[in-house]
Amino acid sequence: MADKQPDAIALLKADHRAVEQLFEDFEKAKGEGKKQSIAERICLELTVHTKIEEEIFYPACEGKVDDDLLKEAFVEHDGAKVLIAEIEAGGPDDDFYDAKVQVLSEQIEHHVKEEEQRLEGMFSQARRAGLDMDALGDELRARKEELVATYKKGGLPRPETATFVEAEV
């Protein structure tokens, strides 16, 4: 019998743990090259993660989890995408580089807490709604592999935000 693959929630939680570890590694890193390498990995991981959630997991949750929670998740993703683009465009010698990575870390920590909250979090609500987490996990895994291969070859895409409108300043 083949090994059972992680379901959707296990896969998304594994992504969360991997990124948390990368943020810790960034904090401890010495030297600009090391910091930049870790920051680029964070950006890749988060870009892929947000894309698979927005393309596959969140649409599956529509009408099954609290609508406000879903809307907030999209806005949080958009905020992260803007910081990711800023980090990617800059470098460790930029004045605000470390601060941008730190703020991104804080935003992601908040976002993860809302998704993983025991009873009221998005993951709990989705599981209680009876979504097919095994099928979703297969779909997420396949898309993740495809995106990682694409982004490793051609770099990260320009961020597409679902909720931001251009404001006049």
Side-chain angles (χ1 to χ4, degrees):
M1 186 170 141
D3 288 338
K4 184 175 175 349
Q5 293 288 337
D7 73 7
I9 291 173
L11 184 140
L12 295 172
K13 282 183 172 182
D15 282 358
H16 292 168
R17 299 298 82 78
V19 169
E20 287 166 355
Q21 184 59 57
L22 287 168
F23 279 121
E24 278 182 40
D25 294 347
F26 181 87
E27 255 181 64
K28 295 175 192 163
K30 302 284 185 234
E32 290 183 351
K34 184 78 173 152
K35 282 190 158 202
Q36 185 164 12
S37 172
I38 296 168
E40 286 172 356
R41 179 86 192 279
I42 289 168
C43 292
L44 171 67
E45 294 287 330
L46 288 175
T47 299
V48 170
H49 183 81
T50 58
K51 192 103 168 131
I52 65 174
E53 278 189 331
E54 290 177 4
E55 286 180 0
I56 299 163
F57 190 72
Y58 291 173
C61 289
E62 283 177 6
K64 305 208 177 357
V65 304
D66 179 55
D67 193 48
D68 288 340
L69 197 58
L70 207 50
K71 285 179 180 170
E72 195 175 317
F74 275 105
V75 175
E76 289 169 350
H77 276 195
D78 285 353
K81 290 174 190 175
V82 170
L83 275 173
I84 288 166
E86 288 277 315
I87 292 164
E88 282 284 303
D93 55 339
D94 293 347
D95 285 345
F96 296 101
Y97 191 79
D98 284 16
K100 288 174 184 177
V101 174
Q102 180 59 40
V103 170
L104 180 61
S105 173
E106 292 165 3
Q107 285 183 346
I108 298 304
E109 184 180 336
H110 168 83
H111 179 74
V112 164
K113 183 179 175 194
E114 289 193 338
E115 285 187 339
E116 294 186 10
Q117 197 173 14
R118 229 169 92 68
L119 297 171
E120 296 306 312
M122 187 183 304
F123 293 170
S124 292
Q125 290 183 33
R127 199 175 289 286
R128 278 197 312 272
L131 294 175
D132 184 344
M133 292 300 170
D134 289 328
L136 276 172
D138 292 342
E139 206 176 330
L140 289 168
R141 193 171 14 272
R143 182 68 173 132
K144 181 177 176 176
E145 288 171 10
E146 182 184 319
L147 289 169
V148 168
T150 300
Y151 296 160
K152 280 189 174 178
K153 252 191 285 185
L156 296 183
R158 186 168 171 5
E160 292 176 27
T161 57
T163 67
F164 285 3
V165 291
E166 201 162 319
E168 285 189 39
V169 211

